[in-house]
Structures are given as C-alpha cells and as structure tokens.
Amino acid sequence: MDFYQVLQIIVPSMIGLAAPLIFTALGGVFSERSGVVNIGLEGLMVIGAFTGIVFNLTFADVFGAATPWVAVLVAMVAGTIFSLLHAVASITFRADQTVSGVAINLLAIGLTLFLVKKLYGKGQTDMVTENFDRVDIKFLSDIPFIGKIFFSNGYYISYIAIILAIIVWYVIFKTPFGLRIRAVGEHPMAADTMGVNVAKIRYAGVLLSGAFAGIGGAVHAMTVSNEFSHTTINGQGFMAIAAMIFGKWHPIGAMGAGLFFGLAQSLSIVGASLPFFKDIPAVYLLIAPYVLTVIALTGFIGRADAPKASGLPYIKGKR
Amino acid sequence: MVKKMFGLLIPVLSVVLGLLAGAIIMLVSGYNPVDAYMALFFGIFGDSYFLGEAIRTVTPYILAGLAVAFAFRTGLFNIGVEGQLIVGWLAAVWVGITFELPMLIHLPLAILAGGLAGAVWAFIPGLLKAKFRVHEVIVSIMLNYTALHVTNYIISYVLTDKLDKTNNIFETATLRSPLLSGLTDGSRLHWGIIVAIICAIIMWFILEKTTTGFELKAVGFNQHASEYAGMNVNRNIMMSMVISGVFAGFAGAMEGLGTFGYASIKSGFTGIGFDGIAVALLGANTAIGVVLAAFLFGGLKAGALNIPVETPIPNEIVDIVIALIVFFVASSYFIRWILNRINKKGVK
C-alpha cells in the first residue's frame, strides 16, 4: 500500500469524524464568545444523538432517503430547547455556569437512557436503516490527485460543517449581531451602556450552541455508531470544547482543530492496519487531542485567551 | 441565625423539588411515582444486604465530594476528580498486586499510593493555574480523558498481557471484610467507609483548625487581599489541588481495594467524580454537609437498582432526580428570590 492510498483512507475518515466536532465546537464559539461557558455541550450532543436516532427509527418509512436530513433538523430543535435550561440557569438565575453545565450533562444522559428504556424496553436502540450515504462529490472528485483524497467517499454533511465554519466566521466578525456577541462576552457593561440587551444576546449565544451541538450529536450518531446507547456520545462534546479552545475561540481555528482531532481519532481507529502508523500505540493518538489542548493553553503554541467576561454572570449596576 | 436557616433550607428544598420533578416526569411517562419511590426506599433500607450495598456506594461518594468541596473552598473547581479517581484506583491496585507485605504495611501503602497518584494528577492543573493562569476546569477535563486512555493502556499492556482486567489484589491489601460482609448478608461492604469518615474529619480539621486551612480559604475568598496580606497565592492553589487530588485518589483506592479488588478497562467514566460535584454542591462544601449529601446521593444510586426489579420503571429516573437537584441548588438565586418575596409579603 503506498502513501497515496493511505491518504485516500485516512482523509475521508478524518473529515467524517471531524464533522460532529466542528458543528459542536462552532456552537461552543457562539456561547463562549457571548460570555457563557458551556460545559454542557456533551449533554447537548447526547440529546441531539438521541433525538436523531429515535426520529430516524420512527419516521424512516415516511421520509425515506431524506430521513437523516430531517432527523438532523429535529435534533437541532431538540438541542436548542434543551440548552434553554442552561441559558435560564446561567443567565437569568445567575447559577455557576460550570455547575449548570455539569447538571445538563447528568440530566441529558439520565433522561435519554430513561426514554430509550421506556420506548424500546432495553438499554440501546436498534440500528438505523436510513444512513447518510458516502458519496463522491461531482466535478471536485475528478480533480487530479487531491480529488480522490478530499472529495471522494465522504458525507455531504461533513462538507456542510466546513462551509458552516466560514459562515460562522462571517457572522461573528462581519455582522452587527456578531459584534454584539463579542461585546457582551468581552465587556458586558460597556455593551449594556451602548444599549445592547446583554441577556438577550447571551440567550441567543447559548441557544445557538444548543442547536449546533444538537446537529453535532445527531451527525455523530448517524455516521459513526448508527444507534443510540450510553456510549454513543463518549467525550465528543468535551473534545469539541477542546477544539474550540485549541482554535482560540475562532470559528476557522475551531474547524482546523476539529479536523486535527478528527485525524487523531481516525488514526487511532484505522492506524493499526496502515504501514506507517501501526507501530505507534493507539494510546498516543487517543490522548493527543487532550494533551495538545493543555499544551496550547499553557502558551507554548501561542497564547489562547478566553473571552474576558466568559463565565461571569452579568448583574446590572454591579461594578 | 436566619442566614444559617437559609443555608439549610436551600439544599432541603432542592431535594424536595428534585423528587417532585422526578415524580412529575414519571407521571407524564405513565408510571406510578409512588411505586418507584417505595421501591427506592426498600432498595436502601429494605434488608441488611441493601443497606450494606448502599453504605458501600456512599464511601467513594464521600471522598469524591470532599475532593470537590476542598478545592471549591480555595476558589478552584476540580472537575478532574473523575480522572484523579481513575489513576488512584489503578495505583492502589498496582501496589496491591505487585508487593507481598504484611497487611499492616501493605494496605496503608496501597491506599497511600492511590492518594499519591490522585495528588500527582491534580497537581498538573494546580501548577498550570499557578504558573500560567490556565483555567483549571479545562485542564482537568482534558486530564480526565487522558487518565482514562492511559490507565486502559497500562492495564492491558503493562500489568497484563492484553487482558481487560488485572489480577485480584493480595489478601494483605484488601479492604474487604468477611465480618462486615457477613453482617450485611453477603454485601460488598468494606472498611472504606471508616477511611472516608476519617478523611471528612481531616478535611474539617485542616480547614477550620490550621493556619494552612485559613490561608486556603482566604485565597478562595479574595486572591488579591490574601496576596497583600503576605500569603503565597500560587503555593496555596497548588496545595489545594494536591490535597483535593489525594481525596479523589483515595476514592479510587476504595473502589480498587474494597469494592472490586482489581482494576479493569473502562469504556467510559465511572461517573463518581462528576457525582462528587453534586455531593459537594448539596453539602455546601463543608465536611459534615458532604457526608450527609453523600449518604443521600449514594443511597439514591444504590436504591435505584431496586426500582426496575419491583416496577417497570427504568432506574435512570434517579440520575434525572440527582441532576435536577444539582440544577436547583445551582439556581439557588431563584429560590432565594422567591423566599425573599414571600418573606417581604409576610412582613407587610
């Protein structure tokens, strides 16, 4: 097997595994940029995965091949609604945002397993029948050399994740709404003085993070595991948080980090069968995203600073 | 006095609200909440076996709760208890299967190894917080996953030859007791509960009776003021994380040396570390509060296993209730606001 063939295996697998991380990390960017820490991304992904799979199983006959796409949209709505809990607790009730996020995670896994057992009478769902198909993108996959690597044997939804990163970058850095999000995350009092409704913008940030994490969870469930159980989402939400930090709270950075973590995951899965990687114990690849994030935070790879007001509730009139 | 009542009222109210919300969820899902809570109660106090298992579940909960609470008092959020617990578990078992020593040395050595491993694992976020101002929450989350993968690797490639669990520990390192087990109808109750209670007393003593504890709390209240008062903030941050990590490591050692007697590959987290956050929060970060909260949550977790035996209701309902209790405690501003409203009306 030559290197070109190896790339044709690794890269599509990398993009596929990275997509859920990118969606969720982009959600995290919205929330944290508006000043609300969202440790609950993991739980929101669980909700998304659960909703996506259950919808897919229930309505596969109705929607046919379009089922996964509709399921992703429904999961997005479910994630948004669930993230409302985090928004209410951390913005209106001024709860500790990390604690509220932990509660979201505990609640999500408890609630979804409760419902799975109620609906199916066992600890996991059946496998879904309507999956996202792997496709070769028209025209682009015909490009010599890179077409076979980057645009073949992938999911449409993965490419949407990458395009979405660019859209989110535009929204956050080029639109008034994005400016407001960044303002309430850096200096809410100044934003408030200028007439920006801090609570409203923060609600928008958290709800967007819920929507994106819902999509991320559903995409992960319908491309990787194809069923829902307590291990379907097993740290992907936290890895998305890592990607967001590693990408320095920047949408494009988060996408890059997501792709990189996707590569590490893909190597830890398919690496054992490839000539160049089989000598590396999988454990190094498994811990790479986490260790690299810690190193990035300490400033060895350029300093990563969180938005200034991130994690602090805004109380009007308090200096 | 009023303030003290408030401090007690909010946890109690949160528990009641949590149980009520759980009941509503069961009603909506078409289950009978009375049956569930009866089965839950029986699953804790029903017979001596259940009671023994409940106390066994409480043991690591106390220690994990103490770990979170201790860091909280210094203004640090140790969300990494889970990872520290896992490495503590492995280290304790490692000592337990490797050496052959008299029990008087072996058992304390194994427990201390667990504590030490937890301390080392917690020292990393402490150090990075003190030296580089990196937020301890993110670092310890990353270290949780690192711990999970590294311990799995060590178990299957270093301690065994590609097996999914280690040998059982030697009899001289075990916390298990035929006496306790016999008293509770063959449950896995072990001496760990004594260790946990001693640790709670140690935490109370350090925080309330020593200069170190005073400094740790001072840093938690106001870093700048403590620094101007001549305290070494960085040293206190590291110290707090290390002590917190020792408690977390002990929690792992209790599982390794008491409940299981071996370490096995984990596909996911034990959850004890995260539940420790709930325990600390409900216990208002005090030693006695943590012990009480651990008995509540540990009891609920153990009793939950009886719910699907006696009713058609999934035991996850208890996880939902616990999460909701955390939610209500965290949102105590809301409860406080309502109570203030009611009080004011009463005055008028």
Side-chain angles (χ1 to χ4, degrees):
Chain A
M1 202 189 302
D2 63 8
F3 192 63
Y4 185 52
Q5 281 170 310
V6 170
L7 279 180
Q8 283 179 45
I9 295 171
I10 289 178
V11 173
S13 149
M14 164 185 96
I15 299 176
L17 285 164
L21 298 179
I22 296 174
F23 279 119
T24 311
L26 291 175
V29 169
F30 271 118
S31 175
E32 297 241 337
R33 280 277 179 180
S34 76
V36 182
V37 169
N38 197 348
I39 301 282
L41 287 176
E42 172 90 3
L44 295 166
M45 279 186 90
V46 170
I47 293 291
F50 165 79
T51 314
I53 293 290
V54 170
F55 183 88
N56 192 319
L57 286 169
T58 316
F59 292 99
D61 301 335
V62 184
F63 294 103
T67 313
W69 295 97
V70 186
V72 163
L73 289 180
V74 176
M76 181 183 87
V77 174
T80 312
I81 293 169
F82 208 72
S83 66
L84 195 60
L85 276 176
H86 184 54
V88 172
S90 56
I91 302 167
T92 308
F93 296 161
R94 299 173 198 170
D96 186 308
Q97 295 170 6
T98 313
V99 173
S100 163
V102 170
I104 291 272
N105 291 339
L106 292 174
L107 188 59
I109 195 75
L111 194 62
T112 51
L113 281 180
F114 177 80
L115 290 173
V116 163
K117 284 189 182 169
K118 157 107 185 127
L119 294 171
Y120 301 96
K122 52 187 178 176
Q124 66 197 63
T125 67
D126 299 322
M127 300 289 269
V128 294
T129 45
E130 291 293 340
N131 301 319
F132 284 113
D133 294 323
R134 285 191 176 272
V135 289
D136 296 346
I137 306 261
K138 278 205 177 75
F139 307 120
L140 289 172
S141 62
D142 298 332
I143 302 172
F145 195 70
I146 61 165
K148 273 265 190 295
I149 298 173
F150 290 102
F151 299 106
S152 297
N153 203 20
Y155 301 108
Y156 279 121
I157 193 90
S158 312
Y159 299 106
I160 292 177
I162 292 169
I163 296 166
L164 197 65
I166 299 165
I167 297 174
V168 170
W169 166 79
Y170 182 83
V171 169
I172 286 188
F173 289 100
K174 301 289 167 191
T175 65
F177 173 67
L179 181 65
R180 285 185 189 133
I181 282 207
R182 283 181 292 139
V184 300
E186 290 289 334
H187 202 315
M189 197 196 291
D192 195 16
T193 315
M194 299 307 288
V196 176
N197 186 335
V198 175
K200 206 167 108 187
I201 298 289
R202 287 192 166 177
Y203 263 89
V206 174
L207 293 185
L208 278 169
S209 79
F212 281 46
I215 298 176
V219 170
H220 184 85
M222 283 188 282
T223 54
V224 180
S225 67
N226 288 321
E227 51 146 24
F228 182 82
S229 71
H230 69 288
T231 52
T232 300
I233 301 295
N234 194 359
Q236 274 74 25
F238 287 114
M239 204 185 272
I241 296 174
M244 173 194 73
I245 296 166
F246 199 57
K248 298 179 184 173
W249 288 269
H250 192 289
I252 306 293
M255 178 195 76
L259 284 173
F260 180 67
F261 292 173
L263 176 68
Q265 275 190 303
S266 114
L267 285 179
S268 70
I269 297 166
V270 299
S273 59
L274 300 175
F276 306 101
F277 300 99
K278 65 171 176 238
D279 298 329
I280 308 172
V283 64
Y284 291 113
L285 298 163
L286 285 169
I287 64 172
Y290 309 114
V291 174
L292 283 168
T293 302
V294 172
I295 295 172
L297 279 166
T298 51
F300 294 125
I301 316 175
R303 199 163 164 77
D305 280 316
K308 274 216 180 54
S310 178
L312 305 170
Y314 175 63
I315 303 166
K316 246 189 200 327
K318 191 184 176 193
R319 289 200 292 163
Chain B
M1 183 65 202
V2 175
K3 212 179 160 195
K4 219 170 189 179
M5 283 291 289
F6 240 62
L8 207 66
L9 194 60
I10 282 172
V12 172
L13 212 57
S14 302
V15 171
V16 173
L17 284 175
L19 289 169
L20 271 178
I24 292 170
I25 290 174
M26 282 188 273
L27 277 177
V28 171
S29 325
Y31 294 128
N32 184 348
V34 178
D35 287 353
Y37 288 144
M38 289 286 279
L40 180 67
F41 188 80
F42 187 79
I44 307 170
F45 300 106
D47 61 33
S48 57
Y49 173 82
F50 283 143
L51 196 62
E53 281 291 305
I55 296 174
R56 176 193 62 77
T57 317
V58 167
T59 306
Y61 272 53
I62 293 179
L63 289 161
L66 291 176
V68 178
F70 196 90
F72 254 134
R73 292 294 280 276
T74 316
L76 297 166
F77 196 159
N78 185 2
I79 203 170
V81 169
E82 184 71 42
Q84 293 144 24
L85 185 151
I86 296 175
V87 295
W89 182 333
L90 180 72
V93 168
W94 201 330
V95 170
I97 57 173
T98 314
F99 301 108
E100 278 186 273
L101 297 163
M103 189 163 201
L104 216 56
I105 306 170
H106 200 182
L107 179 58
L109 190 70
I111 296 177
L112 286 177
L116 184 70
V120 169
W121 212 247
F123 177 69
I124 304 170
L127 177 76
L128 296 183
K129 168 98 176 180
K131 296 288 176 212
F132 300 101
R133 297 283 132 208
V134 183
H135 206 294
E136 74 278 6
V137 167
I138 307 294
V139 177
S140 35
I141 287 175
M142 301 305 139
L143 286 178
N144 282 345
Y145 285 96
T146 313
L148 185 66
H149 294 304
V150 169
T151 50
N152 280 350
Y153 175 79
I154 292 178
I155 288 166
S156 57
Y157 290 98
V158 179
L159 292 180
T160 67
D161 191 19
K162 296 187 183 168
L163 297 177
D164 58 2
K165 72 186 190 72
T166 65
N167 293 332
N168 284 334
I169 53 172
F170 287 117
E171 280 302 308
T172 48
T174 186
L175 277 166
R176 286 195 190 181
S177 133
L179 173 71
L180 290 179
S181 184
L183 275 177
T184 54
D185 211 9
S187 82
R188 289 176 290 172
L189 181 62
H190 55 80
W191 291 114
I193 187 71
I194 308 288
V195 178
I197 302 282
I198 293 173
C199 284
I201 297 169
I202 292 175
M203 158 155 158
W204 169 81
F205 186 80
I206 295 178
L207 281 177
E208 308 300 335
K209 298 287 166 195
T210 65
T211 322
T212 317
F214 179 78
E215 282 200 16
L216 290 171
K217 283 188 293 179
V219 170
F221 281 125
N222 192 328
Q223 276 198 16
H224 301 291
S226 336
E227 191 156 8
Y228 295 137
M231 296 172 195
N232 186 336
V233 171
N234 286 345
R235 208 194 52 154
N236 276 305
I237 287 175
M238 288 188 276
M239 174 119 76
S240 169
M241 282 305 278
V242 165
I243 297 175
S244 170
V246 171
F247 287 139
F250 280 171
M254 295 307 112
E255 293 294 85
L257 303 175
T259 309
F260 293 94
Y262 56 83
S264 57
I265 287 197
K266 295 172 188 59
S267 62
F269 289 129
T270 64
I272 298 169
F274 296 119
D275 288 335
I277 297 169
V279 169
L281 202 66
L282 189 68
N285 302 320
T286 60
I288 178 75
V290 164
V291 173
L292 293 176
F295 267 96
L296 178 72
F297 283 161
L300 287 178
K301 277 275 188 182
L305 300 175
N306 190 41
I307 294 180
V309 178
E310 294 193 8
T311 70
I313 306 165
N315 56 329
E316 276 77 16
I317 186 67
V318 167
D319 296 325
I320 300 176
V321 169
I322 290 178
L324 289 172
I325 293 175
V326 176
F327 232 79
F328 289 125
V329 180
S331 306
S332 60
Y333 167 77
F334 170 67
I335 298 180
R336 223 162 270 194
W337 182 77
I338 291 178
L339 287 176
N340 275 338
R341 268 291 168 97
I342 297 170
N343 272 348
K344 266 182 201 155
K345 269 187 192 152
V347 170
K348 273 175 194 169

